Amino acid sequence: MNVHIEKAQAILRANDKGGYTVPTARLYPFQWNWDSAFVAMGWQTFDEPAAWREVESLLEGQWDDGMLPHIVFHTASDQYFPGPDVWGTHHAPPTSGITQPPVLASAVARLIAKAHDKDLAEAKAAAIYPRLLANHRWWSRARDPHQTGLVAVLHPWETGMDNSPAWDTAFARVPTQTTTVVKRRDTSHVDAGHRPHDIDYQRFIHLVDCYREAGWDPARMWKAAPFKVADVSINAILARAEADLLGLAVSYGTAAEQAEIAQRAAQMKQAIATLWQPKLGLFGSHDLIADAPIEVATSAGFLPLYADAADAAQVASMGATLDRWRAQVRVLVPSTPPESPVFEPLRYWRGPVWAVVNWMIADGFARAGDAVRAQQILAATRSAIEQAGFGENFDPLSGVAGGGGTFSWTAAIYLLLT
Ligand code: DGY
């Protein structure tokens, strides 16, 4: 077996805390939502029961209204801020009160499609399907209350792309005052230069305070939100997840549920088309508070490919954008391209390459019939990992690994690539 596969498997085993996998020790000592969806797919390549356990343990955090929190605090740890005391959500097990990109239905669809143990997959999927449906209904009801076809995030952490330059203008409107004392732990685990700034944390926590005071009630949060963005990546990921959920509904749901999901999926695809930004040669997010498009190029802008939501001209234009970025970097796909004035090669979502995003973009180019660019991205991802190890992310200019080390989702993606 290739030594890197052995290492990737060892990382998942080491980060497995007994039924759930932490993203990495110390920096992220709990279960994270979209991390776990990718990690479950990685587990499946060598331990199928572990893949299902990963999904089920994440669903232990699901709220009665269908919301799937971004963190499930299965055990206590003083290594992370903000912990359960700051969130104050009163769920058992304790959870955060916001969500993260809804990759889970797509992960479950893949676990079924690739299952070796079909009986296990059938039994698990039948039990999990209603939970996924409840989650997608929550997105539509709580985060698209006016039924526009685009869901909104109320916190940058929900996008998973915490300090993306796409949020700069909208996030600058969020006050910096907090009622919680901000005691960062992340910068004692990794280089502060790879992390968001302190001022960002003031705003991150202002939002947590604001929503906690709204009792974590979706309608009150929606009203109170000083940050409300229709994020292109969340919408693309959810549109793809709806299509994948429709496949599950054919086996496990009713005809009425199939119709409901198909209707939402179609409406989302149409709405994503309105996010096209010809000047960027990419899709972009929409700031709902300013009611303005966010004209900032980031790797998220390729993700409508992953939802089959781009037309042929858009696919060609995104191909040209990718080629231009490729000429500027050693490793594709930078989260923010070097040509951007706010590019920082190692600061979290302001430049670094993320294996999970690459995997989705490559899948998108392949679906659009562009196997060449899909392969370029996959090859870049594989060789970055083989050369620099299983870092949280990679400097697109030097290829050096950044953020936390021995990272579960990087390991999982490597396993999917080989
Ligand atoms: C963090 O703590 O950096 C996370 O991205 C928030 O979920």
Side-chain angles (χ1 to χ4, degrees):
M1 192 193 295
N2 150 351
V3 61
H4 304 291
I5 295 180
E6 275 175 32
K7 276 193 196 154
Q9 295 182 354
I11 286 170
L12 293 194
R13 294 227 182 272
N15 287 342
D16 176 10
K17 297 300 165 208
Y20 70 94
T21 310
V22 299
T24 187
R26 293 183 300 283
L27 181 62
Y28 300 122
F30 311 107
Q31 188 175 26
W32 260 259
N33 179 334
W34 73 323
D35 291 72
S36 274
F38 289 107
V39 162
M41 295 190 272
W43 272 118
Q44 191 189 36
T45 63
F46 66 108
D47 185 342
E48 211 156 276
W52 291 110
R53 278 198 299 275
E54 187 73 33
V55 173
E56 288 173 335
S57 57
L58 181 63
L59 286 167
E60 283 171 25
Q62 187 173 29
W63 289 15
D64 289 346
D65 68 358
M67 201 273 284
L68 199 57
H70 95 299
I71 307 174
V72 186
F73 300 103
H74 290 285
T75 54
S77 168
D78 59 4
Q79 300 288 311
Y80 182 78
F81 174 86
D85 49 323
V86 177
W87 292 96
T89 59
H90 307 299
H91 187 276
T95 71
S96 69
I98 57 171
T99 190
Q100 238 181 1
V103 184
L104 193 63
S106 300
V108 169
R110 184 183 164 103
L111 294 189
I112 296 166
K114 303 264 174 196
H116 293 293
D117 187 340
K118 298 283 180 203
D119 292 341
L120 176 69
E122 285 295 317
K124 297 292 184 192
I128 289 167
Y129 161 77
R131 317 284 297 269
L132 299 172
L133 177 61
N135 180 241
H136 288 201
R137 285 175 171 164
W138 173 85
W139 272 105
S140 172
R141 195 174 57 241
R143 296 310 183 80
D144 183 17
H146 306 301
Q147 300 296 296
T148 63
L150 292 175
V151 295
V153 293
L154 307 184
H155 195 303
W157 284 344
E158 293 194 312
T159 69
M161 304 182 181
D162 306 4
N163 65 340
S164 166
W167 318 143
D168 286 357
T169 304
F171 196 45
R173 276 185 231 120
V174 175
T176 55
Q177 298 80 4
T178 64
T179 49
T180 299
V181 180
V182 177
K183 284 192 232 142
R184 293 184 68 172
R185 298 303 320 272
D186 56 321
T187 44
S188 49
H189 303 310
V190 301
D191 186 333
H194 298 190
R195 297 290 304 171
H197 293 284
D198 285 346
I199 184 93
D200 299 328
Y201 264 76
Q202 291 297 128
R203 295 192 165 100
F204 291 148
I205 299 304
H206 176 94
L207 292 174
V208 173
D209 289 343
C210 168
Y211 303 140
R212 189 185 57 243
E213 281 154 28
W216 301 111
D217 171 70
R220 286 173 62 197
M221 288 167 70
W222 183 267
K223 255 201 196 141
F227 180 89
K228 199 181 284 177
V229 168
D231 167 22
V232 64
S233 64
I234 291 259
N235 279 283
I237 287 168
L238 183 57
R240 169 65 180 271
E242 290 283 25
D244 290 329
L245 185 67
L246 183 55
L248 300 185
V250 170
S251 306
Y252 309 105
T254 65
E257 288 164 359
Q258 290 168 36
E260 169 198 327
I261 297 164
Q263 187 273 329
R264 274 202 307 269
Q267 197 196 0
M268 283 203 85
K269 256 199 200 177
Q270 270 181 13
I272 288 171
T274 67
L275 298 178
W276 176 246
Q277 298 197 7
K279 267 196 290 186
L280 296 184
L282 277 176
F283 288 82
S285 298
H286 193 86
D287 181 344
L288 294 189
I289 290 179
D291 191 15
I294 297 175
E295 292 173 344
V296 177
T298 70
S299 58
F302 292 105
L303 287 175
L305 289 166
Y306 171 75
D308 302 317
D311 66 26
Q314 291 164 344
V315 172
S317 178
M318 283 188 278
T321 302
L322 188 79
D323 293 348
R324 200 176 66 245
W325 292 16
R326 197 175 66 243
Q328 300 167 33
V329 298
R330 185 161 152 193
V331 184
L332 279 176
V333 178
S335 45
T336 301
E339 66 191 17
S340 159
V342 294
F343 169 75
E344 291 181 81
L346 272 166
R347 197 180 292 283
Y348 215 37
W349 290 90
R350 302 181 78 85
V353 175
W354 294 78
V356 293
V357 177
N358 278 12
W359 189 76
M360 291 188 287
I361 297 174
D363 179 86
F365 272 116
R367 293 167 82 86
D370 189 341
V372 171
R373 289 191 180 86
Q375 277 313 316
Q376 282 170 351
I377 295 168
L378 296 179
T381 313
R382 199 178 299 117
S383 87
I385 296 170
E386 289 174 357
Q387 285 173 36
F390 294 89
E392 182 171 5
N393 51 47
F394 301 90
D395 177 333
L397 301 182
S398 68
V400 162
T406 56
F407 222 85
S408 296
W409 74 5
T410 308
I413 294 297
Y414 189 80
L415 293 170
L416 295 180
L417 293 181
T418 46

